[in-house]
DNA sequence: AGTGTATCCTGCAGGC
DNA sequence: TGCCTGCAGGATACAC
């Protein structure tokens, strides 16, 4: 998916275009991205006004009048695309799943090729309860090196698995886990509780750096990701290890390796990221 | 508390 | 050209 930086970029983009819009129609074209029957979903939206757009973990939250939240999880290929008027011809998204029509004549389309994404209309309370399950936001002011040090010390999971677990830390996915671990010099298979406190503190810094830099670059486009203006992110060319197996490491020249575990590819530099230390 | 595997789904790249 | 396999930014459920 879109990970934290991509969801943040989309939320920021939407904030400038859809806040203030009043929803006059909601059409579900692919009901499997909902978690409830579409007959119940659509009526909940009509007549509501968009009051804000936020991000939590990898979710884009569209705040609605009447204390409702349209919670969008983008899955692997989800996009949120606003248009001033209904798109025609070439500009029409290829896999529209939900289409909101605004009083202004504009539309917001949730498009999702693989349909791993979800769209839910919840009360603010329902969302808040859901959000309790997420770990801390890595870019939050209150997130300190010590929080990561202590979190890692309590787990025997491989560090990459730890970082991908949304209950432990929110918003980190496979790309940024790989990049942060590279920059901190930690092998993705290293047990979390074997990461030394000073390494964990370094990882806290590299995580925040890489996530922040990626937001400033507008996210990473591997293939499908687009921001709310339909544009690609610029961070892909700054990746050190993700998707670069076989390439020489930018630091030491060793060939980047790919290794599969927990069902996903892990990318790392065998020279810079020792399995133990 | 972990891992491995499977599942949801479409598209694309690579091998033959 | 086509057909096949494997893989993809995520999340979840299951057996072990």
């Amino acid at each position: 998916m879109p990970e934290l930086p991509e969801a943040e970029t989309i939320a920021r983009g939407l904030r400038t275009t859809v806040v203030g819009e009043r929803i006059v129609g909601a059409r579900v074209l692919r009901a499997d991205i909902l978690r409830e029957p579409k007959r119940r979903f659509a009526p909940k939206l009509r007549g509501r006004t968009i009051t804000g757009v936020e991000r939590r973990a990898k979710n884009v939250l569209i705040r609605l009048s009447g204390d409702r939240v349209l919670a969008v999880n983008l899955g692997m290929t989800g996009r949120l695309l606003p248009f001033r008027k209904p798109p025609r011809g070439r500009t029409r998204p290829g896999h529209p799943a939900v289409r909101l029509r605004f009083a202004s004549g504009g539309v917001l389309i949730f498009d999702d090729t693989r349909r791993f994404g979800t769209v839910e209309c919840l009360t603010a309370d329902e969302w808040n309860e859901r959000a309790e399950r997420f770990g801390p936001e890595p870019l939050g002011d209150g997130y300190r090196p010590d929080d990561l040090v202590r979190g890692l010390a309590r787990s025997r999971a491989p560090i990459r698995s730890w970082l991908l677990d949304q209950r432990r830390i929110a918003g980190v996915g496979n790309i940024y886990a790989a990049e942060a671990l590279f920059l901190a010099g930690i092998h993705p298979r290293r047990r979390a509780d074997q990461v030394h406190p000073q390494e964990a503190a370094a990882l806290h810094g590299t995580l925040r750096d890489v996530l922040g830099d990626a937001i400033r670059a507008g996210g990473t486009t591997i293939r499908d990701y687009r921001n709310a203006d339909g544009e690609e992110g610029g961070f892909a060319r700054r990746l050190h290890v993700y998707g670069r197996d076989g390439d020489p490491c930018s630091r030491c020249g060793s060939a980047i390796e790919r290794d599969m575990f927990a069902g996903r590819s892990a990318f790392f530099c065998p020279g810079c990221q020792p399995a133990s230390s």
Side-chain angles (χ1 to χ4, degrees), chain A residues 158-193:
Chain A
I159 180 68
R160 200 274 305 259
S161 302
W162 194 98
L163 290 170
L164 294 191
D165 187 338
Q166 300 300 297
R167 294 168 303 186
R168 292 168 154 151
I169 187 167
V172 182
N174 210 21
I175 294 177
Y176 300 108
E179 295 301 306
L181 288 170
F182 168 76
L183 293 171
I186 304 168
H187 193 286
R189 279 193 191 255
R190 185 107 67 86
R191 260 173 53 164
D193 62 3

Short mmCIF file of all heavy atoms in Angstrom, two decimals, chain A residues 158-193:
data_model
loop_
_atom_site.label_atom_id
_atom_site.label_comp_id
_atom_site.label_asym_id
_atom_site.label_seq_id
_atom_site.Cartn_x
_atom_site.Cartn_y
_atom_site.Cartn_z
N PRO A 158 11.32 -10.98 14.48
CA PRO A 158 12.32 -10.31 13.64
C PRO A 158 11.96 -8.82 13.56
O PRO A 158 10.78 -8.47 13.49
CB PRO A 158 12.15 -10.98 12.28
CG PRO A 158 11.44 -12.27 12.55
CD PRO A 158 10.61 -12.04 13.77
N ILE A 159 12.99 -7.98 13.56
CA ILE A 159 12.76 -6.53 13.59
C ILE A 159 11.87 -6.06 12.43
O ILE A 159 11.02 -5.19 12.61
CB ILE A 159 14.11 -5.77 13.62
CG1 ILE A 159 13.89 -4.26 13.66
CG2 ILE A 159 15.00 -6.13 12.46
CD1 ILE A 159 13.28 -3.75 14.93
N ARG A 160 12.02 -6.68 11.25
CA ARG A 160 11.18 -6.25 10.12
C ARG A 160 9.71 -6.55 10.42
O ARG A 160 8.82 -5.73 10.16
CB ARG A 160 11.63 -6.94 8.82
CG ARG A 160 11.19 -6.26 7.53
CD ARG A 160 9.80 -6.66 7.05
NE ARG A 160 9.63 -8.08 6.89
CZ ARG A 160 9.67 -8.73 5.74
NH1 ARG A 160 9.89 -8.08 4.62
NH2 ARG A 160 9.49 -10.03 5.70
N SER A 161 9.43 -7.74 10.99
CA SER A 161 8.05 -8.07 11.35
C SER A 161 7.51 -7.11 12.40
O SER A 161 6.34 -6.71 12.36
CB SER A 161 7.97 -9.50 11.87
OG SER A 161 8.45 -10.41 10.90
N TRP A 162 8.36 -6.78 13.34
CA TRP A 162 7.95 -5.84 14.40
C TRP A 162 7.52 -4.51 13.79
O TRP A 162 6.48 -3.95 14.14
CB TRP A 162 9.12 -5.65 15.38
CG TRP A 162 8.74 -4.98 16.68
CD1 TRP A 162 8.48 -5.59 17.86
CD2 TRP A 162 8.57 -3.57 16.90
NE1 TRP A 162 8.16 -4.65 18.81
CE2 TRP A 162 8.21 -3.41 18.25
CE3 TRP A 162 8.70 -2.43 16.11
CZ2 TRP A 162 7.97 -2.15 18.82
CZ3 TRP A 162 8.45 -1.18 16.67
CH2 TRP A 162 8.09 -1.06 18.00
N LEU A 163 8.32 -4.02 12.86
CA LEU A 163 8.02 -2.72 12.26
C LEU A 163 6.75 -2.74 11.42
O LEU A 163 6.07 -1.73 11.28
CB LEU A 163 9.20 -2.25 11.38
CG LEU A 163 10.47 -1.86 12.13
CD1 LEU A 163 11.62 -1.66 11.14
CD2 LEU A 163 10.24 -0.59 12.96
N LEU A 164 6.43 -3.90 10.85
CA LEU A 164 5.23 -3.98 9.99
C LEU A 164 3.95 -4.18 10.79
O LEU A 164 2.86 -4.07 10.24
CB LEU A 164 5.38 -5.13 8.98
CG LEU A 164 6.47 -4.99 7.92
CD1 LEU A 164 6.31 -6.06 6.85
CD2 LEU A 164 6.45 -3.62 7.28
N ASP A 165 4.09 -4.49 12.07
CA ASP A 165 2.92 -4.75 12.91
C ASP A 165 2.30 -3.42 13.35
O ASP A 165 2.87 -2.70 14.17
CB ASP A 165 3.34 -5.59 14.12
CG ASP A 165 2.16 -6.05 14.95
OD1 ASP A 165 1.07 -5.43 14.86
OD2 ASP A 165 2.31 -7.03 15.70
N GLN A 166 1.12 -3.13 12.82
CA GLN A 166 0.49 -1.82 13.06
C GLN A 166 0.13 -1.59 14.52
O GLN A 166 -0.07 -0.46 14.95
CB GLN A 166 -0.75 -1.66 12.18
CG GLN A 166 -0.45 -1.76 10.69
CD GLN A 166 0.53 -0.70 10.23
OE1 GLN A 166 0.25 0.50 10.32
NE2 GLN A 166 1.71 -1.10 9.74
N ARG A 167 0.04 -2.67 15.29
CA ARG A 167 -0.28 -2.51 16.72
C ARG A 167 0.93 -2.02 17.51
O ARG A 167 0.81 -1.50 18.61
CB ARG A 167 -0.75 -3.86 17.30
CG ARG A 167 -2.07 -4.32 16.72
CD ARG A 167 -2.33 -5.76 17.09
NE ARG A 167 -1.23 -6.62 16.63
CZ ARG A 167 -1.21 -7.94 16.71
NH1 ARG A 167 -2.24 -8.57 17.25
NH2 ARG A 167 -0.21 -8.64 16.26
N ARG A 168 2.10 -2.21 16.92
CA ARG A 168 3.33 -1.81 17.63
C ARG A 168 3.79 -0.43 17.23
O ARG A 168 4.26 0.36 18.05
CB ARG A 168 4.42 -2.83 17.35
CG ARG A 168 4.08 -4.14 18.01
CD ARG A 168 4.96 -5.26 17.53
NE ARG A 168 5.05 -6.28 18.54
CZ ARG A 168 5.26 -7.56 18.29
NH1 ARG A 168 5.43 -7.98 17.04
NH2 ARG A 168 5.32 -8.42 19.26
N ILE A 169 3.72 -0.16 15.92
CA ILE A 169 4.04 1.18 15.42
C ILE A 169 3.17 1.37 14.18
O ILE A 169 3.01 0.44 13.40
CB ILE A 169 5.54 1.34 15.13
CG1 ILE A 169 5.87 2.79 14.79
CG2 ILE A 169 6.01 0.41 14.03
CD1 ILE A 169 7.38 3.08 14.80
N ALA A 170 2.62 2.56 14.04
CA ALA A 170 1.62 2.78 13.00
C ALA A 170 2.23 3.32 11.71
O ALA A 170 3.10 4.19 11.75
CB ALA A 170 0.56 3.77 13.49
N GLY A 171 1.81 2.78 10.60
CA GLY A 171 2.10 3.40 9.31
C GLY A 171 3.31 2.89 8.55
O GLY A 171 3.53 3.28 7.42
N VAL A 172 4.11 2.03 9.18
CA VAL A 172 5.32 1.54 8.51
C VAL A 172 4.98 0.30 7.68
O VAL A 172 4.34 -0.62 8.17
CB VAL A 172 6.42 1.18 9.53
CG1 VAL A 172 7.68 0.70 8.81
CG2 VAL A 172 6.72 2.37 10.43
N GLY A 173 5.40 0.30 6.44
CA GLY A 173 5.20 -0.84 5.55
C GLY A 173 6.53 -1.36 5.06
O GLY A 173 7.60 -0.99 5.56
N ASN A 174 6.47 -2.21 4.07
CA ASN A 174 7.66 -2.94 3.64
C ASN A 174 8.76 -2.05 3.07
O ASN A 174 9.94 -2.31 3.28
CB ASN A 174 7.25 -4.01 2.61
CG ASN A 174 8.17 -5.22 2.65
OD1 ASN A 174 8.86 -5.46 3.64
ND2 ASN A 174 8.21 -5.96 1.56
N ILE A 175 8.39 -1.00 2.35
CA ILE A 175 9.41 -0.12 1.76
C ILE A 175 10.18 0.62 2.84
O ILE A 175 11.42 0.55 2.91
CB ILE A 175 8.77 0.94 0.83
CG1 ILE A 175 8.14 0.28 -0.40
CG2 ILE A 175 9.83 1.96 0.40
CD1 ILE A 175 7.44 1.27 -1.31
N TYR A 176 9.46 1.32 3.71
CA TYR A 176 10.15 2.18 4.68
C TYR A 176 10.79 1.39 5.80
O TYR A 176 11.77 1.85 6.39
CB TYR A 176 9.19 3.27 5.17
CG TYR A 176 8.72 4.12 4.01
CD1 TYR A 176 7.42 4.02 3.54
CD2 TYR A 176 9.61 4.95 3.32
CE1 TYR A 176 7.00 4.76 2.43
CE2 TYR A 176 9.21 5.68 2.21
CZ TYR A 176 7.89 5.57 1.77
OH TYR A 176 7.49 6.28 0.67
N ALA A 177 10.26 0.20 6.08
CA ALA A 177 10.95 -0.67 7.04
C ALA A 177 12.32 -1.02 6.47
O ALA A 177 13.34 -0.95 7.15
CB ALA A 177 10.13 -1.94 7.30
N ALA A 178 12.36 -1.40 5.20
CA ALA A 178 13.63 -1.77 4.56
C ALA A 178 14.61 -0.60 4.57
O ALA A 178 15.79 -0.77 4.89
CB ALA A 178 13.37 -2.22 3.11
N GLU A 179 14.12 0.57 4.23
CA GLU A 179 15.01 1.74 4.14
C GLU A 179 15.53 2.17 5.52
O GLU A 179 16.71 2.47 5.67
CB GLU A 179 14.26 2.89 3.46
CG GLU A 179 13.90 2.60 2.00
CD GLU A 179 15.13 2.31 1.14
OE1 GLU A 179 16.06 3.15 1.13
OE2 GLU A 179 15.17 1.25 0.50
N ALA A 180 14.63 2.19 6.50
CA ALA A 180 15.06 2.62 7.84
C ALA A 180 16.07 1.63 8.43
O ALA A 180 17.04 2.03 9.07
CB ALA A 180 13.84 2.76 8.76
N LEU A 181 15.84 0.33 8.20
CA LEU A 181 16.77 -0.68 8.72
C LEU A 181 18.13 -0.56 8.03
O LEU A 181 19.18 -0.71 8.67
CB LEU A 181 16.19 -2.09 8.54
CG LEU A 181 15.03 -2.42 9.49
CD1 LEU A 181 14.35 -3.73 9.07
CD2 LEU A 181 15.52 -2.52 10.94
N PHE A 182 18.12 -0.28 6.74
CA PHE A 182 19.39 -0.08 6.03
C PHE A 182 20.15 1.10 6.63
O PHE A 182 21.34 1.00 6.96
CB PHE A 182 19.14 0.17 4.54
CG PHE A 182 20.36 0.67 3.81
CD1 PHE A 182 21.40 -0.19 3.49
CD2 PHE A 182 20.49 2.01 3.48
CE1 PHE A 182 22.55 0.28 2.85
CE2 PHE A 182 21.63 2.49 2.84
CZ PHE A 182 22.66 1.62 2.52
N LEU A 183 19.47 2.21 6.77
CA LEU A 183 20.13 3.42 7.26
C LEU A 183 20.64 3.25 8.69
O LEU A 183 21.61 3.89 9.09
CB LEU A 183 19.17 4.62 7.18
CG LEU A 183 18.80 5.04 5.75
CD1 LEU A 183 17.68 6.08 5.77
CD2 LEU A 183 20.02 5.58 4.99
N ALA A 184 19.98 2.37 9.45
CA ALA A 184 20.41 2.14 10.84
C ALA A 184 21.40 0.98 10.93
O ALA A 184 21.92 0.68 12.01
CB ALA A 184 19.20 1.89 11.73
N GLY A 185 21.65 0.30 9.81
CA GLY A 185 22.62 -0.80 9.81
C GLY A 185 22.16 -2.04 10.55
O GLY A 185 22.95 -2.74 11.17
N ILE A 186 20.86 -2.33 10.46
CA ILE A 186 20.30 -3.49 11.17
C ILE A 186 19.71 -4.48 10.16
O ILE A 186 18.91 -4.09 9.30
CB ILE A 186 19.19 -3.04 12.15
CG1 ILE A 186 19.74 -2.00 13.13
CG2 ILE A 186 18.61 -4.25 12.89
CD1 ILE A 186 18.65 -1.29 13.93
N HIS A 187 20.06 -5.73 10.28
CA HIS A 187 19.55 -6.77 9.39
C HIS A 187 18.06 -7.01 9.67
O HIS A 187 17.65 -7.08 10.82
CB HIS A 187 20.34 -8.06 9.63
CG HIS A 187 20.12 -9.12 8.58
ND1 HIS A 187 18.95 -9.84 8.51
CD2 HIS A 187 20.91 -9.53 7.56
CE1 HIS A 187 19.06 -10.69 7.48
NE2 HIS A 187 20.23 -10.53 6.90
N PRO A 188 17.25 -7.13 8.61
CA PRO A 188 15.79 -7.27 8.81
C PRO A 188 15.38 -8.49 9.62
O PRO A 188 14.31 -8.51 10.21
CB PRO A 188 15.23 -7.33 7.38
CG PRO A 188 16.39 -7.58 6.48
CD PRO A 188 17.59 -7.03 7.18
N ARG A 189 16.22 -9.52 9.65
CA ARG A 189 15.85 -10.72 10.40
C ARG A 189 16.32 -10.68 11.85
O ARG A 189 16.04 -11.61 12.62
CB ARG A 189 16.46 -11.97 9.75
CG ARG A 189 15.69 -12.51 8.56
CD ARG A 189 16.23 -13.90 8.24
NE ARG A 189 15.76 -14.41 6.98
CZ ARG A 189 14.82 -15.36 6.87
NH1 ARG A 189 14.27 -15.88 7.95
NH2 ARG A 189 14.46 -15.80 5.68
N ARG A 190 17.05 -9.67 12.22
CA ARG A 190 17.54 -9.59 13.60
C ARG A 190 16.36 -9.58 14.57
O ARG A 190 15.37 -8.87 14.35
CB ARG A 190 18.37 -8.33 13.80
CG ARG A 190 19.01 -8.23 15.17
CD ARG A 190 20.50 -8.48 15.10
NE ARG A 190 21.17 -7.40 14.37
CZ ARG A 190 21.56 -6.26 14.95
NH1 ARG A 190 21.36 -6.05 16.23
NH2 ARG A 190 22.18 -5.35 14.23
N ARG A 191 16.45 -10.37 15.63
CA ARG A 191 15.39 -10.36 16.63
C ARG A 191 15.28 -8.98 17.27
O ARG A 191 16.30 -8.38 17.60
CB ARG A 191 15.69 -11.41 17.70
CG ARG A 191 14.93 -12.71 17.53
CD ARG A 191 15.40 -13.76 18.50
NE ARG A 191 15.37 -13.30 19.90
CZ ARG A 191 15.43 -14.12 20.95
NH1 ARG A 191 15.50 -15.43 20.75
NH2 ARG A 191 15.43 -13.65 22.17
N ALA A 192 14.05 -8.54 17.45
CA ALA A 192 13.84 -7.20 18.01
C ALA A 192 14.59 -7.01 19.32
O ALA A 192 15.24 -5.98 19.54
CB ALA A 192 12.35 -6.93 18.21
N ASP A 193 14.54 -8.03 20.18
CA ASP A 193 15.20 -7.87 21.48
C ASP A 193 16.72 -8.02 21.41
O ASP A 193 17.41 -7.92 22.43
CB ASP A 193 14.59 -8.81 22.54
CG ASP A 193 14.76 -10.29 22.18
OD1 ASP A 193 15.40 -10.59 21.14
OD2 ASP A 193 14.24 -11.14 22.92
#
